[in-house]
Amino acid sequence: MKLLSVIVPCYNEEENIRDFYDELCKNTVFFEKKGIAFEILYVDDGSKDKTVAEVKKLCAADARVRLVSFSRNFGKEAAIYAGLQKCRGDLAVLMDADLQDPPSLLPEMYSYIEQGYDSVATRRVTRKGEPVIRSFFARMFYRLMNRISRTEIVDGARDYRLMTRQVVDAILSMSEYNRFTKGIFGWVGYETKWLEYENVERAKGETKWSFWKLFLYSLEGIIAFSTVPLTIASVMGVLFCILAFAMIIFTIIRKLIFDDPTSGWPSLVCIIMLVSGVQLFCLGILGQYLSKTYMEVKKRPIYLVKEETGGEISDKDEREKA
Ligand code: UDP
Ligand code: MG
């Protein structure tokens, strides 16, 4: 019998845990008919509300539900990594707890796996219900990203993705600390089917992503999947050298031919300001890459588990089988 793992990262989602479970269960019948069992793995990312208690209630009632709870908030990327590491399924699907990833798509997604695709990803074609400025910057980000990175990063792609064990293992083999999952999915490749759907607004609670957080996240993505900014720094350096050289020649010739006094304190100040600005900018770019390298070489764990419960029965089943 095949097993499908549903991985649900949650951070302060107490209101959504139950609703998500109910909604998902409405769609499990299709899979049970096909002889595919479910496991629902909630990854609690250090929630400060009653998320853990809510999941434990479900664990007690349903042996298919499991909980992995972090020692603190490590971020959604870490929760995804933990979920993929802990899941036991032959297939795995990542879903948000806020019902923005409609479980009703699952049967269709599975049909593509049956057709031989390795993973089925989703993207939202609208950004309904999102602030206009945010959508604008998001679109700019994707356009920039696809210019400067060789890894394909799809606009509007969600983390809602069904994949085979092979793809899960491929993603797990990328054990980097700075995890930009959208890039990682693109990087591992495999045959991916894209499904499109209209944006669904979050059921309850609030989004965890402020504009500033998203901005930092986008920088992370650029640095993790492109080294073009470093090239820009070098190119700018060369351009400014050429410019300076031309200006020196120009000044000397002007002095020799027209005997012009080389005046211009203000222009000098402007030039110094401009050039030092560019220098600092380039240094900043270097610093960004260096800081990421620093975090990588430390080899800190991506997450720390405080508690793991649930799924006991499936454990026993496995032992019986063995
Ligand atoms: N999430 C998480 N850790 C975090 C932030 C978010 O595990 O630090 C989870 C959150 O509980 C939700 C999913 O990631 O299930 C998506 O978060 P959210 O809905 O806030 O993001 P949005 O859909 O607005 O992009
Ligand atoms: Mg959401």
mmCIF file of all heavy atoms in Angstrom, residues 17 40 67 78 85 96 116 119 135 145 179 182 187 207 243 250 270 305 312 314:
data_model
loop_
_atom_site.group_PDB
_atom_site.id
_atom_site.type_symbol
_atom_site.label_atom_id
_atom_site.label_comp_id
_atom_site.label_asym_id
_atom_site.label_seq_id
_atom_site.Cartn_x
_atom_site.Cartn_y
_atom_site.Cartn_z
ATOM 1 N N ILE A 17 -5.904 24.736 12.237
ATOM 2 C CA ILE A 17 -5.492 23.319 12.292
ATOM 3 C C ILE A 17 -6.670 22.382 12.038
ATOM 4 O O ILE A 17 -6.636 21.531 11.158
ATOM 5 C CB ILE A 17 -4.870 22.996 13.668
ATOM 6 C CG1 ILE A 17 -3.626 23.850 13.903
ATOM 7 C CG2 ILE A 17 -4.565 21.519 13.799
ATOM 8 C CD1 ILE A 17 -2.454 23.515 13.057
ATOM 9 N N ILE A 40 -0.635 12.782 7.910
ATOM 10 C CA ILE A 40 -0.672 14.241 7.952
ATOM 11 C C ILE A 40 0.361 14.696 8.973
ATOM 12 O O ILE A 40 0.246 14.406 10.165
ATOM 13 C CB ILE A 40 -2.071 14.765 8.340
ATOM 14 C CG1 ILE A 40 -3.117 14.131 7.421
ATOM 15 C CG2 ILE A 40 -2.116 16.281 8.245
ATOM 16 C CD1 ILE A 40 -4.532 14.261 7.935
ATOM 17 N N LEU A 67 2.958 14.991 14.641
ATOM 18 C CA LEU A 67 3.404 16.344 14.975
ATOM 19 C C LEU A 67 4.914 16.361 15.179
ATOM 20 O O LEU A 67 5.473 15.512 15.865
ATOM 21 C CB LEU A 67 2.710 16.809 16.264
ATOM 22 C CG LEU A 67 3.312 18.045 16.936
ATOM 23 C CD1 LEU A 67 3.005 19.305 16.145
ATOM 24 C CD2 LEU A 67 2.801 18.201 18.356
ATOM 25 N N ALA A 78 12.665 26.104 6.985
ATOM 26 C CA ALA A 78 13.160 25.058 7.883
ATOM 27 C C ALA A 78 12.058 24.038 8.142
ATOM 28 O O ALA A 78 12.308 22.829 8.182
ATOM 29 C CB ALA A 78 13.624 25.680 9.191
ATOM 30 N N GLN A 85 12.101 15.668 5.673
ATOM 31 C CA GLN A 85 12.996 14.713 6.313
ATOM 32 C C GLN A 85 12.232 13.668 7.125
ATOM 33 O O GLN A 85 12.578 12.496 7.135
ATOM 34 C CB GLN A 85 13.945 15.466 7.248
ATOM 35 C CG GLN A 85 15.369 15.228 6.907
ATOM 36 C CD GLN A 85 16.320 16.045 7.762
ATOM 37 O OE1 GLN A 85 15.961 16.648 8.774
ATOM 38 N NE2 GLN A 85 17.564 16.059 7.345
ATOM 39 N N ASP A 96 -0.014 24.711 2.950
ATOM 40 C CA ASP A 96 -0.138 25.696 4.024
ATOM 41 C C ASP A 96 -1.326 25.344 4.901
ATOM 42 O O ASP A 96 -2.305 24.783 4.423
ATOM 43 C CB ASP A 96 -0.368 27.095 3.444
ATOM 44 C CG ASP A 96 0.902 27.675 2.867
ATOM 45 O OD1 ASP A 96 1.926 26.970 2.888
ATOM 46 O OD2 ASP A 96 0.864 28.835 2.404
ATOM 47 N N GLY A 116 3.042 9.950 -14.982
ATOM 48 C CA GLY A 116 4.492 9.834 -15.096
ATOM 49 C C GLY A 116 5.278 11.080 -14.723
ATOM 50 O O GLY A 116 6.502 11.089 -14.805
ATOM 51 N N SER A 119 6.810 15.594 -10.368
ATOM 52 C CA SER A 119 6.228 16.484 -9.367
ATOM 53 C C SER A 119 5.164 17.364 -10.011
ATOM 54 O O SER A 119 5.221 17.645 -11.212
ATOM 55 C CB SER A 119 7.327 17.306 -8.682
ATOM 56 O OG SER A 119 7.505 18.536 -9.303
ATOM 57 N N SER A 135 2.105 43.184 -4.873
ATOM 58 C CA SER A 135 2.050 42.441 -6.145
ATOM 59 C C SER A 135 3.058 43.004 -7.129
ATOM 60 O O SER A 135 3.750 42.258 -7.818
ATOM 61 C CB SER A 135 0.665 42.543 -6.773
ATOM 62 O OG SER A 135 -0.312 42.184 -5.853
ATOM 63 N N MET A 145 14.806 38.136 -11.117
ATOM 64 C CA MET A 145 15.370 36.850 -10.737
ATOM 65 C C MET A 145 15.621 35.966 -11.955
ATOM 66 O O MET A 145 16.659 35.327 -12.060
ATOM 67 C CB MET A 145 14.350 36.190 -9.806
ATOM 68 C CG MET A 145 14.870 35.116 -8.951
ATOM 69 S SD MET A 145 16.109 35.694 -7.835
ATOM 70 C CE MET A 145 16.924 34.166 -7.539
ATOM 71 N N ARG A 179 17.950 28.537 2.915
ATOM 72 C CA ARG A 179 17.073 27.774 2.043
ATOM 73 C C ARG A 179 16.051 28.667 1.368
ATOM 74 O O ARG A 179 15.189 29.245 1.998
ATOM 75 C CB ARG A 179 16.350 26.684 2.845
ATOM 76 C CG ARG A 179 17.288 25.752 3.563
ATOM 77 C CD ARG A 179 16.547 24.587 4.132
ATOM 78 N NE ARG A 179 16.076 23.696 3.093
ATOM 79 C CZ ARG A 179 16.845 22.855 2.433
ATOM 80 N NH1 ARG A 179 18.111 22.784 2.696
ATOM 81 N NH2 ARG A 179 16.338 22.075 1.505
ATOM 82 N N LYS A 182 11.765 27.966 -3.288
ATOM 83 C CA LYS A 182 11.318 28.137 -4.683
ATOM 84 C C LYS A 182 12.467 27.895 -5.648
ATOM 85 O O LYS A 182 12.272 27.331 -6.725
ATOM 86 C CB LYS A 182 10.760 29.544 -4.880
ATOM 87 C CG LYS A 182 9.417 29.751 -4.200
ATOM 88 C CD LYS A 182 8.868 31.113 -4.583
ATOM 89 C CE LYS A 182 7.786 31.643 -3.683
ATOM 90 N NZ LYS A 182 6.916 30.740 -3.010
ATOM 91 N N TRP A 187 15.941 24.133 -9.052
ATOM 92 C CA TRP A 187 17.312 23.632 -9.216
ATOM 93 C C TRP A 187 17.346 22.118 -9.392
ATOM 94 O O TRP A 187 18.108 21.609 -10.212
ATOM 95 C CB TRP A 187 18.150 24.042 -8.000
ATOM 96 C CG TRP A 187 19.617 23.916 -8.227
ATOM 97 C CD1 TRP A 187 20.457 24.882 -8.698
ATOM 98 C CD2 TRP A 187 20.425 22.757 -7.990
ATOM 99 N NE1 TRP A 187 21.734 24.393 -8.775
ATOM 100 C CE2 TRP A 187 21.750 23.092 -8.351
ATOM 101 C CE3 TRP A 187 20.175 21.468 -7.524
ATOM 102 C CZ2 TRP A 187 22.809 22.196 -8.250
ATOM 103 C CZ3 TRP A 187 21.230 20.570 -7.429
ATOM 104 C CH2 TRP A 187 22.530 20.947 -7.789
ATOM 105 N N THR A 207 -1.358 36.780 7.822
ATOM 106 C CA THR A 207 -0.153 36.341 7.137
ATOM 107 C C THR A 207 1.070 36.646 7.999
ATOM 108 O O THR A 207 1.083 37.617 8.744
ATOM 109 C CB THR A 207 -0.008 37.004 5.752
ATOM 110 O OG1 THR A 207 1.250 36.614 5.215
ATOM 111 C CG2 THR A 207 -0.086 38.504 5.821
ATOM 112 N N LEU A 243 36.288 55.646 -16.831
ATOM 113 C CA LEU A 243 35.779 57.015 -16.755
ATOM 114 C C LEU A 243 36.823 57.935 -16.142
ATOM 115 O O LEU A 243 37.102 59.035 -16.653
ATOM 116 C CB LEU A 243 34.492 57.024 -15.913
ATOM 117 C CG LEU A 243 33.714 58.330 -15.939
ATOM 118 C CD1 LEU A 243 33.113 58.545 -17.326
ATOM 119 C CD2 LEU A 243 32.604 58.296 -14.895
ATOM 120 N N PHE A 250 41.431 64.229 -20.261
ATOM 121 C CA PHE A 250 40.707 65.452 -20.629
ATOM 122 C C PHE A 250 41.273 66.663 -19.871
ATOM 123 O O PHE A 250 41.553 67.707 -20.449
ATOM 124 C CB PHE A 250 39.219 65.260 -20.305
ATOM 125 C CG PHE A 250 38.387 66.498 -20.447
ATOM 126 C CD1 PHE A 250 38.048 66.979 -21.711
ATOM 127 C CD2 PHE A 250 37.947 67.196 -19.324
ATOM 128 C CE1 PHE A 250 37.284 68.112 -21.837
ATOM 129 C CE2 PHE A 250 37.185 68.330 -19.449
ATOM 130 C CZ PHE A 250 36.847 68.793 -20.706
ATOM 131 N N CYS A 270 31.468 66.137 -5.617
ATOM 132 C CA CYS A 270 30.437 65.279 -6.205
ATOM 133 C C CYS A 270 31.037 63.961 -6.662
ATOM 134 O O CYS A 270 30.482 62.887 -6.419
ATOM 135 C CB CYS A 270 29.782 65.967 -7.397
ATOM 136 S SG CYS A 270 28.806 67.364 -6.890
ATOM 137 N N VAL A 305 14.372 20.010 17.013
ATOM 138 C CA VAL A 305 13.073 19.447 17.392
ATOM 139 C C VAL A 305 12.937 19.440 18.905
ATOM 140 O O VAL A 305 13.863 19.088 19.622
ATOM 141 C CB VAL A 305 12.944 18.002 16.860
ATOM 142 C CG1 VAL A 305 11.686 17.342 17.388
ATOM 143 C CG2 VAL A 305 12.928 18.010 15.344
ATOM 144 N N GLU A 312 1.763 6.656 15.906
ATOM 145 C CA GLU A 312 2.220 5.429 16.576
ATOM 146 C C GLU A 312 1.724 4.178 15.863
ATOM 147 O O GLU A 312 2.456 3.223 15.674
ATOM 148 C CB GLU A 312 1.741 5.371 18.039
ATOM 149 C CG GLU A 312 2.574 6.203 18.994
ATOM 150 C CD GLU A 312 2.173 7.660 18.978
ATOM 151 O OE1 GLU A 312 1.093 7.962 18.400
ATOM 152 O OE2 GLU A 312 2.903 8.504 19.493
ATOM 153 N N SER A 314 0.903 3.682 12.780
ATOM 154 C CA SER A 314 1.580 3.347 11.528
ATOM 155 C C SER A 314 2.961 2.760 11.820
ATOM 156 O O SER A 314 3.462 1.931 11.078
ATOM 157 C CB SER A 314 1.672 4.554 10.604
ATOM 158 O OG SER A 314 2.334 5.599 11.229
#
